């Protein structure tokens, strides 16, 4: 943690989060990984009791009135327990609540945000469908306008908290006669008749979070549970990409750090050829690379968090958040890879937690938008930004800084 980037209030919150993380019993971590626990209710209830969730939201709705830097710090600390702890912590408090805080009514905030942040109820976000993941606008779930309510039908899958959530944030087509971008709406859907958890996935890692396929069959959703405007779900989706991806990146650092910690201790004590293996550069340099990657990831996270807090223009934030998600998740995966490598065979067993962390973090570059999608966004926004800077005339024309820059006949583009 970069303590010097935090103020006293944030350091106090960090210490509270650390105390909470230390209090979680080892058995809960093991039982979740073994799928003996399908959803960590007690964990979320205690986090709510300690007022650790949604710290950037107004106190009026159960938050602490803090900022994105504070949120990233908390997400990193929670991630130390394991990636799935941070996933379940973040899905409700940082994704679902974010949509309602930014776009919902006061009544919705009173009924759904406040009790969730207290740990009294739980929520899940429903984006991915069986026919596609990153293709958000290809949703086939529909909500037919019946006047005072909507009739919801469709399926969502890979829903973290599908087993355990009391309500769901669901995107559905409400106008099939227009471009999908202009015909999707967002709803708060209570667990009720017609809401079915049909299948729990057997995951490689990140177990115990209740990842499920959800089926909605003629579910009556009251009109007052429409979030934002009708057919304007894209506005909510766009703002949610910040907590989706920046939060994911921050918690990945916390989840990766224990592997590097374990590997550092192990290589300091494990001896070969008469001395600790850390004395060999083939080992210590891999640990050094892992530490450097984690610190570089933190630097990117806190820089991006401050940019979001500063509300710089939307397209720049979109690029920075996407870069953070891609760079941080891949850097953390590499750091855990190094940790396992320097520990040798023992790192591949469940004698140490590195193998679990390795399995868990494979999800990081897949969910909340694959890293390939992040690259598409980064490239798209960067090229736009480049030409805007060129057209502004406010920066040096670097093309001219070459000895033969005048050889225009050699500059052939078609």
């Amino acid at each position: 943690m970069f303590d010097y980037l935090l103020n006293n209030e944030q350091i106090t919150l960090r210490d509270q989060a650390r105390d909470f993380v230390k209090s979680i019993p080892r058995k809960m971590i093991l039982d979740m990984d073994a799928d003996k626990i399908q959803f960590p209710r007690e964990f979320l209830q205690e986090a709510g009791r300690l007022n650790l969730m949604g710290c950037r939201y107004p106190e009026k709705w159960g938050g602490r009135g803090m900022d994105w830097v504070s949120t990233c710090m908390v997400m990193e600390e929670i991630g130390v327990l394991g990636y799935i702890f941070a996933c379940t912590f973040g899905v409700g408090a940082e994704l679902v609540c974010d949509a309602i805080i930014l776009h919902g009514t006061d009544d919705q905030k009173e009924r759904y945000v406040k009790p969730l942040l207290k740990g009294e109820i739980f929520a899940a976000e429903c984006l991915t469908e069986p026919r596609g993941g990153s293709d958000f606008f290809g949703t086939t779930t529909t909500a037919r306008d019946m006047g005072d309510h909507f009739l919801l039908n469709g399926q969502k899958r890979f829903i973290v908290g599908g087993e355990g959530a009391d309500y769901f944030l669901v995107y559905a087509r409400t106008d099939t006669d227009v471009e999908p971008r202009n015909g999707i709406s967002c709803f708060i859907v209570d667990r009720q008749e017609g809401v079915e958890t049909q299948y729990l996935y057997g995951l490689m890692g990140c177990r115990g979070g209740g990842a499920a396929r959800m089926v909605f069959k003629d579910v009556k959703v009251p009109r007052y549970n429409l979030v934002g405007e009708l057919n304007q779900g894209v506005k909510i989706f766009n703002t949610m990409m910040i907590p989706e991806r920046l939060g994911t990146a921050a918690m990945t650092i916390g989840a990766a750090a224990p592997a590097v910690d374990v590997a550092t201790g192990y290589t300091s004590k494990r001896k070969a050829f008469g001395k600790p293996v850390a004395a060999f550069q083939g080992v210590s340099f891999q640990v050094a690379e892992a530490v450097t990657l984690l610190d570089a990831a933190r630097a990117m996270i806190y820089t991006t968090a401050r940019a979001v807090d500063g509300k710089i223009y939307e397209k720049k934030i979109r690029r920075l958040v996407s870069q953070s998600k891609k760079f941080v998740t891949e850097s953390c995966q590499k750091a855990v890879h190094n940790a396992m490598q320097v520990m040798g065979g023992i790192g591949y067993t469940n004698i140490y937690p590195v193998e679990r962390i390795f399995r868990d973090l494979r999800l990081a570059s897949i969910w909340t938008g694959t890293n390939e999608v992040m690259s598409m966004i980064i490239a798209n926004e960067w090229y736009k930004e480049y030409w805007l800077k060129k057209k502004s005339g406010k920066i040096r024309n670097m093309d001219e800084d070459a000895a033969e820059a005048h050889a225009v006949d050699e500059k052939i583009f078609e």
Side-chain angles (χ1 to χ4, degrees):
M1 177 58 63
F2 292 178
D3 289 7
Y4 52 85
L5 295 179
L6 305 177
N7 59 35
N8 290 336
E9 183 184 15
Q10 290 166 330
I11 288 174
T12 297
L13 176 58
R14 182 207 61 189
D15 291 343
Q16 290 172 345
R18 284 185 176 177
D19 287 342
F20 172 56
V21 166
K22 286 170 63 179
S23 75
I24 300 301
R26 166 180 173 270
K27 189 175 186 302
M28 180 179 287
I29 297 172
L30 299 180
D31 283 352
M32 286 182 68
D33 190 47
D35 269 332
K36 293 179 181 178
I37 294 176
Q38 292 185 336
F39 186 74
R41 288 176 177 80
E42 293 80 4
F43 162 75
L44 294 173
Q45 287 168 345
E46 184 64 10
R49 189 186 70 79
L50 296 171
N51 195 25
L52 293 176
M53 297 193 289
C55 67
R56 71 181 182 280
Y57 303 134
E59 293 181 18
K60 177 181 180 180
W61 305 119
R64 296 188 182 216
M66 298 176 78
D67 56 16
W68 257 109
V69 170
S70 307
T71 297
C72 287
M73 175 269 295
V74 171
M75 292 302 292
E76 179 180 348
E77 294 297 334
I78 297 298
V80 170
L81 282 169
Y83 205 55
I84 190 58
F85 284 88
C87 290
T88 54
F89 181 99
V91 162
E94 304 299 337
L95 301 185
V96 174
C97 284
D98 204 71
I100 300 173
I101 287 287
L102 292 178
H103 303 278
T105 64
D106 283 358
D107 174 65
Q108 290 170 347
K109 295 169 192 176
E110 187 72 38
R111 289 188 293 121
Y112 293 105
V113 172
K114 284 179 72 173
L116 187 144
L117 295 183
K118 290 179 181 179
E120 295 172 353
I121 59 175
F122 315 109
E125 177 198 33
C126 295
L127 280 177
T128 303
E129 296 195 356
R131 62 160 299 279
S134 298
D135 182 12
F136 169 72
F137 295 110
T139 180
T140 58
T141 298
T142 61
R144 190 151 52 98
D145 193 341
M146 307 298 287
D148 64 343
H149 70 276
F150 292 84
L151 208 58
L152 181 70
N153 283 279
Q155 294 188 30
K156 304 287 183 175
R157 72 170 176 178
F158 306 146
I159 306 306
V160 174
E163 174 67 34
D166 297 294
Y167 70 93
F168 305 86
L169 193 75
V170 182
Y171 292 86
R173 289 291 299 272
T174 42
D175 189 340
T176 56
D177 296 327
V178 298
E179 288 292 319
R181 179 176 291 273
N182 300 317
I184 294 176
S185 301
C186 181
F187 300 92
I188 298 170
V189 181
D190 291 304
R191 190 180 286 277
Q192 58 182 289
E193 184 178 355
V195 177
E196 300 179 16
T197 302
Q198 276 202 351
Y199 181 77
L200 285 177
Y201 293 96
L203 304 179
M204 170 181 168
C206 287
R207 301 166 183 160
R213 181 173 71 243
M214 302 301 303
V215 177
F216 303 98
K217 295 180 179 179
D218 291 332
V219 180
K220 290 185 177 180
V221 182
R223 196 170 198 90
Y224 54 74
N225 271 11
L226 170 69
V227 181
E229 301 172 53
L230 184 66
N231 297 323
Q232 295 298 307
V234 63
K235 293 180 180 179
I236 301 168
F237 174 78
N238 285 340
T239 57
M240 285 185 70
M241 288 306 99
I242 295 175
E244 282 263 8
R245 291 160 182 174
L246 185 55
T248 285
M251 71 193 205
T252 308
I253 301 171
V260 178
D261 182 88
V262 169
T264 301
Y266 181 84
T267 56
S268 298
K269 294 179 283 188
R270 170 72 171 179
K271 290 187 177 181
F273 307 105
K275 53 185 176 182
V277 295
F280 298 99
Q281 291 180 344
V283 171
S284 63
F285 281 14
Q286 290 199 62
V287 174
E289 181 185 34
V291 172
T292 301
L293 287 170
L294 292 185
D295 277 347
R298 287 190 181 97
M300 179 171 273
I301 283 297
Y302 287 105
T303 298
T304 302
R306 290 196 170 185
V308 176
D309 285 332
K311 296 180 174 61
I312 65 172
Y313 65 93
E314 181 183 342
K315 296 294 184 181
K316 185 68 169 279
I317 288 178
R318 179 174 161 86
R319 177 168 70 82
L320 290 175
V321 168
S322 299
Q323 287 175 183
S324 295
K325 199 272 181 177
K326 177 179 170 60
F327 177 80
V328 172
T329 56
E330 291 176 1
S331 295
C332 289
Q333 287 171 340
K334 173 60 174 168
V336 175
H337 167 88
N338 285 17
M340 180 175 283
Q341 190 68 21
V342 298
M343 291 180 69
I346 198 72
Y348 194 66
T349 74
N350 62 3
I351 303 298
Y352 288 96
V354 177
E355 64 86 24
R356 173 179 54 79
I357 297 169
F358 189 95
R359 287 187 284 107
D360 286 352
L361 259 63
R362 189 60 188 85
L363 176 65
S365 55
I366 296 174
W367 86 316
T368 67
T370 66
N371 282 10
E372 289 72 26
V373 170
M374 297 304 101
S375 292
M376 288 169 53
I377 294 170
I378 295 163
N380 186 52
E381 298 303 335
W382 170 250
Y383 274 94
K384 290 178 184 176
E385 202 173 313
Y386 168 84
W387 285 111
L388 283 174
K389 287 191 294 185
K390 284 291 184 182
K391 290 175 182 177
S392 74
K394 296 180 180 179
I395 61 171
R396 182 181 181 85
N397 183 3
M398 280 78 81
D399 287 5
E400 301 300 318
D401 295 337
E404 297 294 326
H406 62 279
V408 293
D409 290 345
E410 294 301 318
K411 296 180 178 180
I412 301 168
F413 302 109
E414 296 184 3

